[in-house]
Amino acid sequence: GWLDAADARRAGRKGSESSGFGNGSRKADALVIATGKTTEDLRYMKSIALELWLFAYELPETVIVLLRDGQAHVVTGKTKAALISQCKDECVAKSKGKVSGLHIHIRPKGTTGEDQFKQVLEEAKKAKQEEGDLVVGNLPKDKHEGIFFGKWSEVLSSCDGASTFDASPGFAKVLTCKSSEEQTSVKKASYLATQAMRAFVVPQLETIVDEEKKVKHSTLAGQIEDRILEPSKLEVRLKQDKVNICYAPIIQSGGKYDLKITAQSDDALISYDTIVCSLGARYASYCSNVSRTVFVDPTKEQERYYAALLKAHQAVVNAAREGRKLSELYVAARESFISSECAELVPHLGRNVGFGMGLEFRESAYTLSEKNSAAVVKPGMVFNVCLSLSGIKNKAKDSDQPAEYAMQLADTVLVAAGGNPAEVLTEVPKQWKDVAYFLNEEDDEEEEDAKVKKEEVLPAKRSSALRARDGEGTEKDKELMQAEGLRRERQDELTRKANEETLRYLTQSKHAGDDDKSKEIVDPVSYKSSLQVPSSKDLLIVVDQRSESVVLPLYGICVPFHISVVKNVSTSSDTDHAFVRIIFQSPSVIGAVSPLVQRHMGNAFLKEASFRCTDVKHANRIVQDIKTMKRLVQQRESEKRERATLVAQEKLVPTKGRVPVLSDVWIRPTLGGRGKKMTGSLEAHSNGFRYHSPKGEQLDVVFGNIKHAFFQPAEKEMICLVHFHLHDEIMVGKKKSRDVQFYTEVMEVVQTLDAGRRNTYDPDEIEEEQRERERRNKVNNQYNSFVKKVQDLWERDHRELSLEFDIPFRELGFTGVPNKSTSFLIPTVYCLVDLIEVPFFVLTLSEIAVVNLERVGFGLKNFDMVFVFKDFDKEPHRVDAIPSAQVEQVKEWLTSMNIKYYENKMNLVWKPILKTIKEDPEAFINDGGWEFLNMEASESDEDAEQSESFEPDSDEDEDDDEDDDEESDFDEDEEEDDDDDDEFDDDEEEEGKTWEELEEEARRSDKKRSHEQDSDEGGGATGEGPGDKFQPQLPLLYHLNQHRSTIASALTPPTSKMNNKGRD
């Protein structure tokens, strides 16, 4: 019953197989899980795996006895007893009556627990349901250390009326099928192992062989272990406290191979022949494994054998389907070798081709061997598919390969449901071109050709010792081309996805009704009756703060006006009097008409009223009181309107007792108020955070309103912070905000006053830098501890919210202008953020439809990036001035996040574009969807059309002749003009114009020409004035080409017939 309850608590399985426990003749009366003293060595014992599976913790020196009637007895220490008691109520509630009670027997400190052991066995005898001896199922193969475990074994073996049997097969059935939560842990462990092999082991081996370094097997294995234990070095975002190795990494070469997991990497140097690399990673105690064989200068036989090994490995993976016997997987490997005409490799194949994995690295009951025909493949099983060939003789005597070599290929595989193909979780390249390297640059045939044709063939410069067989090598250009090709393929897939999501969202939003109702406007009331109106015998202006009204004397009567109908008030004075002028809200007031005026447009309005006063000070005081009252009322109404749009939040439930606390933190935005700003404390309660300030102010942020949570340690910034981006806005002080940040400064801003340069080895400066590093590490550790505690709280009590702290990847960051200033934008798993500069920038990537890269090309230093949201009601967000050198980095990041992007050479006006798409989404999709942004495709289509329409014929020659004629006509015109000028000179000499006439004629000509230029600049084809903003819709070169003649005429001054003498 307790095992079934644990299954229900994990919410991922259909029920355990605990009913299979028995000694053959009858079912077990009790099941025992006993552990001893903990050690630092890697141990795989079923008792430890069961404790991890039941409680997610290893409980050393603990005995758990499960009875058939649903009772459970635990003998342990005081601290572990408190931990176990936490899951009692949950297991009882979800067991559907199978669990009836949990009894904890606390072992006094300094005792062996013998009395508690005897008491538990007596309780088990009383609870047995059948006559005869007490049948106890235990794990005899688990040998623990310590007095506690030894005393338990002694008490159990000496107990009268009790018999034991091996319950390992029954427990193995419980652990073999992994729940969805367990599968996630296995996938994370596999990802870590994959990155260790791809990002570290393979590059290291290439460097060692390429540069002929002398590195020991044990040295490289130690470096691999360090990378696995610190995932951040592999750029893997996993919690370091949940990560471990499955076994010490194994590196072997030089003809000495031991393909067992218990093998150790020796101190011999890595040989440049056949290198076998194996490593395993654990996450949350769940195991993964990957193994690869690397060949340096391999033989033809090795290539053929490896191809057979690769085919057999794939055959085992294909055979790992629901309902197949485990023995069939071994047979599939053997038959594959025979079909590949490599039957001689079958004797070199190990006894099995893998085994089950999980909390235990090797589940012995689920070995993939020919004899294991009882076990069946089930969904959720995880296998280490490992094919090992050892003792292979090297027949090529002239090669550098050892006389005997081995090959191993292993992957972590997850069995899918419904007979679907199994999923390989460790996707490390394993094709021949990925594992074979060649030190020799040229083959013998190429050398002979080089001898014959020395003058034609230039000697190749040796850039690297590693050459792939097809000659590709490690050239960066080809790698970039390959990466570009993969990126284009992925972008083509994203095009269809982006169009489908856009159509689905627009059609849904089109049919959705608009339920928003305008808020009813209520007329303000100053006084409920005329008796409440304050009277003034001297007929003075009265400012009533209580009723928020101004009482004005009009024609001998005191008339009240609410402050909301007063638009403005001013005062002016002369020598003896002061004038107070009050302007009211009315339809004739310049500017926006208030809703209150719109409601009474049919009535008569009082526009303004002026009063004369002999007391100037009294008039100024009246004006000041009215302005102060109006400002306070406007602030109150503005805050009321903001609060009216807020979504009601659940109340924070304080946790009794100790809670995770982050002390001495600042808050942004500030809570407001006057006086010196002070740091406060942030507390994590049962359903939210609460911030306390020393002034007594507090701010609550509930977990349900958190959309994204970020933790950014102080690496190259001066602050360490936690940031919360919310679903709905909350009031922070007197303003609404969707972002709340808590931070601590790790460095003090100090300005050096001495003008001289300080020495690098100045002890004061060294001490100051040391203090800064210590404070930075202290603050980072403080925040890291707080984040871990909160993350554990979310995973334990708020798993349905799917909350987790997202850490920005600084190495993927780039500069840009998201708001008004240049910022350093950093991608995270779910967002693009800038959490340092204010206002904060948080962009959720899942809300983006497409991204358009604008102003890419023309040798510009910067380009722009426009994020178009799936919700077309939101205006696209633009990030300007991104350095062009980072365009490839941005493209790679967008592709990795499955975001479709386009490139354009000009900035687009998005408002009319989105409006057109919203009007007819179906037509938008039928016309190609977002592909209208693909300028490369459109330009290629235009070029193709022009090439098809271009047909050289006699007409073209005629056009050329016409052009020549035009050019000759133009030359003749110029000659005629010269003749006219000569005639004009002759006429001028005959007529003899005066200097005044010549100046007047030149002035008229200049005036006419300037008028023509102004008219040309003022009117255009688009109807835009000279002050309008130019919004190019076509590529710049095309635009200039179309208007070449117009531009030429505008730049060429008109020809004047006045001679030089006249102009002078």
Side-chain angles (χ1 to χ4, degrees), residues 993-1055:
K993 292 186 178 180
T994 63
W995 286 105
E996 289 78 5
E997 293 175 339
L998 294 174
E999 290 293 337
E1000 182 65 20
E1001 186 175 354
R1003 193 180 298 109
R1004 286 197 304 269
S1005 176
D1006 292 340
K1007 185 176 180 181
K1008 181 179 180 181
R1009 183 176 61 186
S1010 62
H1011 178 70
E1012 291 175 354
Q1013 291 179 351
D1014 292 341
S1015 62
D1016 291 339
E1017 293 175 359
T1022 58
E1024 295 180 351
D1028 294 340
K1029 182 180 178 182
F1030 175 62
Q1031 299 176 345
Q1033 301 292 331
L1034 297 173
L1036 182 60
L1037 295 177
Y1038 178 77
H1039 183 80
L1040 294 177
N1041 188 41
Q1042 294 293 320
H1043 302 280
R1044 183 185 301 168
S1045 59
T1046 305
I1047 295 173
S1049 62
L1051 295 178
T1052 305
T1055 303

Side-chain angles (χ1 to χ4, degrees), residues 42 217-218 221 225 245-253 256-267 276-280 291 361 388 408:
L42 286 173
H217 295 145
S218 56
E225 182 176 342
I245 57 172
C246 294
Y247 55 89
I250 304 172
I251 306 295
Q252 301 177 91
S253 65
K256 297 180 181 180
Y257 303 97
D258 182 4
L259 302 183
K260 297 179 181 179
I261 299 300
T262 56
Q264 299 291 327
S265 299
D266 56 24
D267 293 333
V276 178
C277 311
S278 301
L279 60 91
S291 181
F361 181 74
S388 303
Q408 190 176 57

